[in-house]
Amino acid sequence: VQLQASGGGLVQAGGSLRLSCAASGGTFSGYRMGWFRQAPGKEREFVAAIMWSSGIAYYEDSVKGRFTITRDRAKNTVYLQIDSLKPEDTAVYYCAAVDHIRSYSDTYVATAYHHWGQGTQVTVSS
């Protein structure tokens, strides 16, 4: 499985971005696709995830209402729409995928994901 993230950039606070994660090298039925981010000097943290088949989405509490994760099964692509960007959203954003997790709570855990993209930088200026 290969994941290719794109769509990052420099944007002013209050602006929007749409990140894309193109997936290849497998069939993703049953997969859980996630977005994580890592700011300088901080741990990688969960942002959002989506079940490939059902479209059920999960969000970290602090991004609910501003971030929207979707997937396009025909294009094998997962999107992260980010609205009302804040300077604290500045980070490298990574997409990730896993085909099986041990428990529901692993949805939110980076180490549970087996496949990772290369990351895309999002920088929000104030």
Side-chain angles (χ1 to χ4, degrees):
V1 172
Q2 293 81 46
L3 303 174
Q4 181 75 34
S6 62
L10 173 63
V11 64
Q12 288 189 327
S16 297
L17 280 175
R18 188 177 78 159
L19 308 184
S20 299
C21 176
S24 62
T27 55
F28 301 101
S29 176
Y31 269 67
R32 196 163 305 226
M33 312 294 287
W35 284 97
F36 291 77
R37 65 184 179 185
Q38 188 166 19
K42 294 189 176 181
E43 299 278 326
R44 190 169 297 190
E45 64 175 0
F46 172 81
V47 173
I50 190 166
M51 295 297 297
W52 187 264
S53 295
S54 66
I56 294 173
Y58 308 86
Y59 296 95
E60 198 276 327
D61 285 345
S62 69
V63 307
K64 286 179 181 177
R66 296 193 301 120
F67 288 29
T68 305
I69 187 170
T70 58
R71 87 280 187 248
D72 184 329
R73 289 184 288 182
K75 295 182 178 179
N76 274 4
T77 300
V78 178
Y79 301 100
L80 185 69
Q81 176 70 36
I82 311 176
D83 298 318
S84 303
L85 277 156
K86 303 176 181 181
E88 51 264 43
D89 294 322
T90 294
V92 178
Y93 283 70
Y94 297 91
C95 60
V98 60
D99 59 350
H100 177 72
I101 58 173
R102 293 175 301 175
S103 65
Y104 165 79
S105 61
D106 281 349
T107 298
Y108 305 89
V109 178
T111 53
Y113 289 75
H114 299 157
H115 309 285
W116 290 85
Q118 85 288 2
T120 185
Q121 176 71 49
V122 172
T123 303
V124 184
S125 62
S126 57

